[in-house]
Amino acid sequence: MSLFDDDRPAKKTAHEIGSDLSLLSVDELSARIALLKEEIARLEAEKVKKGASRSAAESLFR
């Protein structure tokens, strides 16, 4: 173990839209799909939350 092992940046597991998928294994593809599904769920939850805030604001000014 080297003294400088902690200085290396951690490997990024994010997915970049449009990136080359041909070099990824089935497990890596599955991991990216799971990551993207989690992000979609997070985005949808935020959309619902903002929609509720907007509805509340609109009803206040009616």
Side-chain angles (χ1 to χ4, degrees):
M1 183 171 188
S2 173
L3 176 64
F4 301 106
D5 284 344
D6 293 335
D7 292 341
R8 285 187 269 159
K11 187 175 181 180
K12 203 174 181 182
T13 58
H15 178 74
E16 184 178 324
I17 304 296
S19 63
D20 182 18
L21 304 176
S22 64
L23 299 176
L24 299 176
S25 69
V26 172
D27 288 339
E28 290 171 321
L29 289 169
S30 295
R32 287 191 184 199
I33 290 169
L35 178 71
L36 291 169
K37 284 181 179 180
E38 289 172 10
E39 184 64 8
I40 289 169
R42 187 177 77 90
L43 290 167
E44 288 178 341
E46 186 67 21
K47 180 181 168 186
V48 167
K49 188 169 87 172
K50 288 188 180 211
S53 295
R54 181 177 181 176
S55 293
E58 287 176 352
S59 68
L60 184 68
F61 292 106
R62 284 187 187 169

